[in-house]
Amino acid sequence: MLKKIDPTKTNAWASLHELAGEQAQTIKELFKADRSRAKQFSVEWDGLFFDYSKHRIDEEIMDALMDLAKECEVNDGIERMFKGEAINETEDRAVLHVALRNRSNRKTLVGGVDLMPEVNEVLDQMARFSTSVREGDRLGATGKRFKHVVNIGIGGSDLGPVMAVEALKAFQCNMRFHFVSNVDEAHLVETLKQIKAEETLFIIASKTFTTQETMTNAQSAREWFLQQIEDEEAIAKHFVAVSTNEAAVTAFGIDPGNMFRFWDWVGGRYSLWSAIGLPIMLAIGDQAFFKLLEGAHAVDEHVKVKGSQSIPSIMALLGIWYNNFFEAESHAVLPYSQYLSRFPAYLQQADMESNGKSMTRAGVPVRYSTGPIVWGEPGTNGQHAFYQLLHQGTKLIPVDFIAYIKPVHGNGDHHQKLLANFLAQSQALMQGKSVKEAEKELRNEGLKEEEVVKILPFKVFEGNNPSSSILFDEWGAYQLGQLIALYEHKIFIQGLIWNIYSFDQWGVELGKQLAAPILDEMTAKRNGSASSVRFDGSTTELLSRIQRKLK
Ligand code: G6Q
């Protein structure tokens, strides 16, 4: 069980409050005062460079943040997770996505049973399957090779694979990958327009195999398929399932032999390392998929050894510094890579579903701010849009910039420009532009005195906006594994300090229940039955309008 420590009762919390109040020097001034700052506040590790020198921190503040981690017993929490304790207490489950990428194959015990043989067995099954599809040994019902893979799943059974397939597109085979998640028919219909049934492999991905959206899309896809290929037996060749629920998979009509298992100790949003990652393996091949696991495993080992001193822990503590001592409400993640265009959306779920909690582990409401609003878009696109608010808005928004040094493609010119922008933005956010600098610029432009006076206030940038830079030497599956795992551990460590449970998601479960009575009501009305449920006035009004218009 995780310890239940109120972070606000620690000595470090009180010190941090004082330090935040006393802070007089800007980041720019801190750089001027200390030439070794960039070296002191950066970590070079396993082909990546984590620069956190552009933050409102000094040695004393970092020491106090580390003390906070110590007083909240972060290392103890990390150890309990790796040991397979049921740290997801509200669901009485262990949290072992780390076992899925345990490339050392060291024993990982739950209830005295080693999980690794089962994990490896499923990985082997995935590898055999993906190789046979990629190499054309496994064909569709009419003897054609698969050209399309359609993954039907939502939330944790969608966002990870979507993000990773996009992130590693440069290394993909020539099949096309589609992801259908929304129950809005448009998502499925527009996908089906692009494919031919006889060339398509459907993956129905659902941990529970009961999720409304996924089951609805899966049924419709099945019906569509049978309209194209009028042969029930062809289903076995074109539909596979990824789930923990064998009974429901069988009931749906998928042969258990075409099912890839995972386990209840894998949370949905932490499941891309499991069979949920099957589309990723199909896209990049089993060897590259194993590299992805290796990258994440390397971070796991780093966290195990370094604990609260690890990179994810530093990321977590910096987040807490702004979230709890400067009232920052959000956190921007800005990858300078088109391949990472879905990374912020993926992270939104990973972070906000994990740490969007207001109850402590002791079951009493928190009295402090927990998980931030996570958002972002790739650079440089964002620069031409919302960066205005980062530079001159009224909100404090810490930023993570992400990039890799070696270009994936040959044209160095594009990449140089991309990296120049990556560097320029973090620099500008920190330095800002003083009145003096802005005035000099305007005068150099040859503006008249009265124009300078008029326009000057709008040209000033306060600066002192904090950011981290995560810079990889190169880009590939290994690095993506590292990147995701860095954030996973960051999220966990923040949850440990905030004294919340990061691995349940009752808010999401609520969403799964809410629509049911309304849908029942709609069906009842369509069948001419009397209303059975009383809704609030607004819902009743909206519902009857929908029904009137649908008649
Ligand atoms: C993830 C959440 C949630 C879940 C989806 C899909 O951590 O629990 O996003 O992944 O609701 O659930 P199924 O995989 O059971 O369909």
Side-chain angles (χ1 to χ4, degrees):
M1 274 213 270
L2 294 176
K3 303 214 169 126
K4 300 173 172 62
I5 300 164
D6 181 344
T8 64
K9 300 265 166 67
T10 59
N11 294 329
W13 194 272
S15 310
L16 286 163
H17 254 302
E18 271 178 36
L19 289 166
E22 284 165 4
Q23 231 191 11
Q25 279 183 304
T26 63
I27 310 171
K28 195 172 147 184
E29 287 162 350
L30 288 167
F31 265 103
K32 266 200 195 132
D34 179 7
R35 294 210 158 263
S36 65
R37 182 177 172 82
K39 278 224 156 48
Q40 190 184 0
F41 298 116
S42 59
V43 187
E44 191 181 353
W45 172 80
D46 198 22
L48 70 83
F49 188 71
F50 175 59
D51 173 17
Y52 61 104
S53 60
K54 293 192 191 92
H55 277 284
R56 298 180 183 181
I57 51 156
D58 56 20
E59 212 172 328
E60 199 182 359
I61 293 166
M62 278 318 291
D63 285 347
L65 287 167
M66 288 295 167
D67 287 345
L68 178 66
K70 202 168 174 193
E71 286 186 74
C72 293
E73 301 208 26
V74 161
N75 290 352
D76 176 78
I78 294 171
E79 213 180 302
R80 285 173 196 272
M81 176 173 78
F82 279 102
K83 272 208 312 222
E85 283 190 25
I87 61 163
N88 175 1
E89 239 184 272
T90 63
E91 294 182 313
D92 193 21
R93 287 174 185 167
V95 175
L96 280 170
H97 46 278
V98 291
L100 299 166
R101 59 213 192 194
N102 172 15
R103 303 307 287 165
S104 73
N105 213 16
R106 264 195 308 266
K107 277 189 179 167
T108 305
L109 302 174
V110 167
V113 180
D114 183 15
L115 302 176
M116 292 319 295
E118 274 187 87
V119 167
N120 292 330
E121 193 185 300
V122 176
L123 282 173
D124 286 348
Q125 183 198 6
M126 289 165 66
R128 280 194 306 276
F129 178 79
S130 92
T131 306
S132 67
V133 171
R134 285 164 58 90
E135 293 185 355
D137 295 331
R138 187 184 164 118
L139 302 169
T142 61
K144 293 221 161 143
R145 276 184 85 131
F146 291 112
K147 284 194 185 153
H148 299 272
V149 175
V150 178
N151 188 80
I152 298 181
I154 195 164
S157 301
D158 169 69
L159 286 159
V162 177
M163 176 276 290
V165 167
E166 187 60 34
L168 301 173
K169 211 174 189 168
F171 316 104
Q172 212 181 79
C173 66
N174 56 9
M175 285 192 288
R176 285 188 57 205
F177 290 81
H178 311 264
F179 293 87
V180 176
S181 51
N182 203 328
V183 75
D184 181 348
E185 203 178 0
H187 208 172
L188 182 64
V189 168
E190 293 302 331
T191 305
L192 297 180
K193 274 185 197 168
Q194 303 170 47
I195 62 177
K196 280 194 186 139
E198 55 180 351
E199 296 171 345
T200 302
L201 176 72
F202 289 93
I203 302 173
I204 315 299
S206 174
K207 182 173 167 182
T208 55
F209 231 73
T210 55
T211 305
Q212 184 196 54
E213 294 90 332
T214 303
M215 291 303 105
T216 307
N217 280 323
Q219 277 300 348
S220 301
R222 190 177 190 277
E223 281 160 28
W224 173 85
F225 180 82
L226 288 174
Q227 279 160 15
Q228 316 291 309
I229 298 181
E230 294 165 353
D231 176 9
E232 282 271 352
E233 282 182 14
I235 294 282
K237 292 222 155 107
H238 290 261
F239 281 74
V240 299
V242 180
S243 188
T244 57
N245 185 348
E246 187 173 323
V249 168
T250 316
F252 179 84
I254 294 178
D255 188 304
N258 286 335
M259 173 178 157
F260 299 84
R261 299 167 53 214
F262 65 118
W263 306 271
D264 71 358
W265 42 264
V266 185
R269 56 195 173 277
Y270 296 90
S271 65
L272 72 84
W273 321 101
S274 72
I276 288 290
L278 187 61
I280 311 170
M281 194 189 268
L282 281 161
I284 60 173
D286 57 346
Q287 294 311 308
F289 187 80
F290 295 144
K291 285 267 170 223
L292 177 86
L293 302 186
E294 277 166 30
H297 178 60
V299 174
D300 295 341
E301 296 289 282
H302 165 73
V303 169
K304 250 181 166 175
V305 174
K306 294 267 178 179
S308 57
Q309 307 277 336
S310 64
I311 299 172
S313 174
I314 298 170
M315 291 163 75
L317 292 167
L318 291 169
I320 289 177
W321 177 231
Y322 300 110
N323 188 73
N324 296 96
F325 302 95
F326 290 88
E327 294 176 8
E329 293 269 304
S330 81
H331 185 95
V333 177
L334 309 174
Y336 274 65
S337 160
Q338 193 55 30
Y339 288 123
L340 283 170
S341 59
R342 296 295 293 161
F343 189 66
Y346 165 79
L347 214 54
Q348 247 167 12
Q349 179 190 29
D351 199 320
M352 292 162 78
E353 199 170 308
S354 299
N355 287 342
K357 310 280 165 65
S358 53
M359 204 50 74
T360 68
R361 291 199 287 270
V364 294
V366 294
R367 291 178 291 107
Y368 43 87
S369 176
T370 59
I373 300 157
V374 176
W375 61 282
E377 279 287 324
T380 59
N381 293 11
Q383 289 175 207
H384 300 265
F386 57 80
Y387 277 37
Q388 165 61 37
L389 184 144
L390 297 178
H391 287 291
Q392 288 189 307
T394 54
K395 294 173 173 57
L396 173 66
I397 304 176
V399 176
D400 288 350
F401 289 101
I402 302 166
Y404 35 85
I405 299 171
K406 283 194 198 141
V408 172
H409 299 289
N411 193 336
D413 180 45
H414 282 253
H415 202 67
Q416 293 278 320
K417 287 174 181 159
L418 184 71
L419 289 179
N421 278 283
F422 158 80
L423 293 174
Q425 288 296 328
S426 65
Q427 184 191 41
L429 282 171
M430 171 188 73
Q431 289 187 338
K433 197 182 280 178
S434 66
V435 175
K436 222 164 139 191
E437 287 163 333
E439 195 175 342
K440 194 170 163 205
E441 246 182 50
L442 290 172
R443 291 201 195 288
N444 285 348
E445 283 171 27
L447 258 64
K448 288 194 204 124
E449 186 54 30
E450 73 241 46
E451 285 170 333
V452 171
V453 172
K454 190 175 167 197
I455 208 78
L456 185 57
F458 305 99
K459 295 279 192 168
V460 173
F461 292 71
E462 212 176 296
N464 206 26
N465 291 303
S467 69
S468 301
S469 296
I470 304 175
L471 184 59
F472 293 91
D473 289 347
E474 57 188 326
W475 188 240
Y478 185 88
Q479 289 72 20
L480 178 64
Q482 287 180 311
L483 181 67
I484 302 168
L486 285 176
Y487 279 97
E488 283 181 347
H489 286 295
K490 170 204 165 174
I491 292 163
F492 173 46
I493 292 168
Q494 289 193 327
L496 283 174
I497 294 175
W498 285 323
N499 193 25
I500 54 177
Y501 287 119
S502 296
F503 296 106
D504 59 15
Q505 57 283 309
W506 300 108
V508 175
E509 305 305 329
L510 174 72
K512 293 189 180 188
Q513 293 163 10
L514 284 178
I518 300 183
L519 189 61
D520 287 348
E521 175 73 6
M522 285 171 142
T523 317
K525 275 268 166 54
R526 268 221 324 246
N527 298 337
S529 324
S531 267
S532 52
V533 197
R534 278 180 81 87
F535 298 102
D536 61 89
S538 164
T539 309
T540 308
E541 223 14 78
L542 289 165
L543 195 53
S544 63
R545 181 175 174 81
I546 290 170
Q547 275 154 347
R548 276 198 312 277
K549 296 281 175 189
L550 277 180
K551 260 188 196 154

